[in-house]
Amino acid sequence: MYNPESLMTLATVFCLRNLRKTMCYQGFRNKLCLRSDIFLPSEICDKLVNTYMELVHTDSNFEPEESFFQLFSDPRSTRLTRVQLREDFVRDRDLEAIRKQDLIELHLTYCNSLSSRSLKTLTCFRETLVSLCLFGCSHIFYRKGGAPLACNEDTEDEEEESPASRQALETDFNFQGFNRLRLLNLGGLPDEVDAETLLKPLKSLHSLDLSNVQLLGTAFLTQWKDRLASLVLYNVDLSEELVSTVVELVNLRHLDISRESRRTSKFKMTRKILTAVVQRLVNLVSLDISGHIMLDNCTVPHFEEAMGRPSIEPCKSSIYPFQELKRPLQFLGLYDTTLCNVTHIPAYKVTGSKNEDQVLNAIEAYTEFRPELAHRAINQLFDIARIQHCSQLLRALQLVIAALKCHKYDKSIQVTGSAALFYLTNTEYRSDQSVRLRRQVIQVVLNGMEQYQEVTVQRNCCLTLCNFSIPEELEFQYSRVNQLLLKILEPARQDESIQRIAVHLCNALVCQVDNHHKEAVGKMGFVKTMLNLIQKKLQDRMCDQVMEFSWSALWNITDETPDNCQMFLNCRGMSLFLECLQEFPDKQELHRNMLGLLGNVAEVKALRPQLLTPQFITVFSNLLDSKADGIEVSYNACGVLSHIMFDGPEVWSMEEPRRDTVMDKMWDAIQSWDVSSRRNINYRSFEPILRLLPQSISPVSQHWATWALYNLVSVYPSKYCPLLIKEGGISLLEKVLELDSSQDCDILLK
């Protein structure tokens, strides 16, 4: 399953990544300017701006443009109507840049870098704005100086004010003139701002969100009693006065009087209050009473409940007040209440913690504006995926991904979300996931690793990456994931579990990839990082998985990559090899990995002279007798020496050990191996072996090469016979037959 993005989305992202090659040119002082022949309708402009914001927050490789919003300054060439901006990235001058646009919707969420300068800009949209969200933009109501409010045509690009400096409350702003405004979200409005005064000019509101707002009085809400269809009073302290006011708003279709937690609630939700809400607000289709203390008299005793399967029919409701509903509610919020546990709930969609469906509904309903609730719900989803079985996998994954994207800077969401992803992406659920979905998981996991150095997040993210096919599924983010893993491994002392997982991932990422990938990762400091880990383990006199994985990773990253081999030698790699050999003489896996790596180094002609020392040759010669890991250590040691011997007797300048003596030991070692041995090795190319064939300088090297080829093609014919043919091995072997030195090519060619 691939499930690709739409062409519109792909084209939008491409244009944003290549603005200068598509829509723009470099103007005066490197300012980004829109080409004169570009005219874009609102459908495209809205998509460009909203996708731009998503890329800024979710893709570390995306470079924001300083003057991006200036591209939309002239409504004659660009039209914006619906814009959604979030987080501190948005500045006052960004809004000022688009002040001439006839915006219909403007959603600003957690934009804490905005000051009262942006309130001035809002007045520019007063004649067209239908929907406005200022949720969490608390600093927008403060100013540094005393500049009058106005929609200036030419706003000075004043110095950006820091949030800490915004101490003077802006008292001149209200919604006078916003006659078309129908939907307004003022969640998180500062306590110093009087909501009643601010909202008084608005006569035609249909939807109002006053989450976390301190209300001095409540009677002002009745000015919209004939119009208001949606009212959100999340975390607003309830009182009998407020409830009495709310039930006068008879046209309400959505009412949210929920709280974050029962622990913070002083108000008790009685049967009488709930009954009044249901009886008076006859148009309700959505109600949220989450987080309230419910008195026992609200529910039908268990022995009196209607028999049969759970029903959404109001007449069977296990909650007394809801028996008076004319029809089931579309949505009912019961999260963190006892009511979510009853049998019969008259609603199509219910939030709660009783089952998977309620938990997923809670994540869906609360992610955008209530991360504190979404965090708890995701934690419950984690338990479901870990202990039970997640039956709505696709929906669960999409919701967790959305939460992690939306709250990249919320540590609690990142911890619980990354933990849930680990269980939702494991083998049990894999067949149901599309390529696109799995790539989205990888993106948000890497975002978390980037943003948080905290142990739990890092561990969760690394473990989740282990659920993917490596390197194939990570290749689209290859450079980024390697950089993040190397950053994790930088500290001299790191959490052991994270270190082990990160080194395992590093090793898997450099196995079976193209050489240009290996070279790029080598330049990131991969070789030095692995050697630093080995050095630390030597100091601790510990040969564990980290030590073995580090040598294995070095073996993989140096395969047919001379630059990385050079780095290994430059970073004291040979000294560490000798120290490990001495400190851990019985560690067979370690010896195999180290000798495999040195085989790669020996394949590079320019580097072989650095191996041609009495000390190293003696070590390699002694390892010919090793029985460690079957024949692997002896085989790899012989491979190293075969390449050295191939350079001829004239480079052998040492007196001891003698070249003839070492060659004799090599002959003996090769003769001792079982040619039908199964191998713990993987060749991507035979080129380094084949170059040893048609020559008479070193018959023993030729013998090692032909033995290696015969062993591999006879034990693994389906894998290695095609490779031998593809790389021209047959013709080379035929040439060897013509040489006097050939001994075992006849059998290989049969």
Side-chain angles (χ1 to χ4, degrees), residues 427-478:
T427 310
E428 179 186 357
Y429 300 115
R430 184 169 180 170
S431 60
D432 300 324
Q433 298 165 15
S434 68
V435 172
R436 178 181 167 192
L437 187 66
R438 287 177 73 79
R439 285 190 171 189
Q440 288 177 341
V441 172
I442 292 166
Q443 290 274 26
V444 294
V445 163
L446 298 183
N447 289 344
M449 290 173 69
E450 228 158 28
Q451 188 64 32
Y452 294 96
Q453 303 307 308
E454 197 268 340
V455 171
T456 308
V457 176
Q458 296 282 357
R459 185 189 298 113
N460 291 350
C461 291
C462 285
L463 283 170
T464 301
L465 290 178
C466 291
N467 286 337
F468 292 82
S469 297
I470 304 172
E472 295 83 7
E473 288 191 282
L474 300 185
E475 196 157 0
F476 80 107
Q477 291 281 289
Y478 192 78

Side-chain angles (χ1 to χ4, degrees), residues 536-568:
K536 176 193 165 290
K537 292 297 178 184
L538 270 169
Q539 291 170 355
D540 296 343
R541 304 184 72 178
M542 182 184 297
C543 182
D544 57 5
Q545 284 186 318
V546 172
M547 170 74 94
E548 291 182 356
F549 283 157
S550 297
W551 279 108
S552 180
L554 289 170
W555 183 4
N556 284 319
I557 201 173
T558 54
D559 183 29
E560 297 182 49
T561 318
D563 286 351
N564 291 341
C565 293
Q566 179 72 68
M567 282 184 218
F568 170 77

Side-chain angles (χ1 to χ4, degrees), residues 50 102 118 207 316 354 472 483 542 563 576 600 650:
N50 296 330
D102 293 336
S118 289
S207 174
K316 293 183 179 180
K354 179 182 180 181
E472 295 83 7
Q483 285 174 331
M542 182 184 297
D563 286 351
L576 291 174
N600 291 339
E650 59 274 12

Side-chain angles (χ1 to χ4, degrees), residues 123-135:
T123 61
C124 301
F125 310 126
R126 63 179 176 266
E127 293 181 6
T128 59
L129 211 57
V130 174
S131 177
L132 175 64
C133 172
L134 298 177
F135 186 88

Side-chain angles (χ1 to χ4, degrees), residues 514-529:
D514 293 335
N515 290 350
H516 73 272
H517 278 323
K518 295 181 183 181
E519 288 165 1
V521 174
K523 288 172 183 173
M524 292 177 195
F526 187 100
V527 174
K528 188 172 183 180
T529 300

Side-chain angles (χ1 to χ4, degrees), residues 608-678:
R608 286 201 282 270
Q610 297 185 54
L611 303 181
L612 199 54
T613 69
Q615 184 182 25
F616 295 149
I617 295 298
T618 301
V619 169
F620 299 145
S621 181
N622 290 338
L623 287 170
L624 290 169
D625 299 326
S626 173
K627 303 301 180 189
D629 200 16
I631 68 167
E632 298 301 334
V633 172
S634 177
Y635 171 88
N636 285 327
C638 198
V640 172
L641 290 168
S642 292
H643 287 287
I644 292 172
M645 295 299 176
F646 181 62
D647 289 337
E650 59 274 12
V651 300
W652 198 280
S653 56
M654 70 192 84
E655 292 184 8
E656 288 294 335
R658 292 172 57 81
R659 187 170 184 268
D660 291 345
T661 305
V662 175
M663 289 174 69
D664 288 341
K665 288 195 70 174
M666 291 169 66
W667 284 108
D668 292 340
I670 297 169
Q671 292 299 111
S672 71
W673 304 335
D674 180 357
V675 79
S676 61
S677 298
R678 301 194 69 79

Side-chain angles (χ1 to χ4, degrees), residues 289-317:
I289 53 175
S290 299
H292 276 292
I293 299 170
M294 301 290 174
L295 296 187
D296 291 340
N297 64 355
C298 286
T299 56
V300 175
H302 186 64
F303 60 86
E304 290 183 16
E305 281 187 317
M307 300 292 287
R309 295 167 59 85
S311 171
I312 61 169
E313 294 179 39
C315 62
K316 293 183 179 180
S317 173

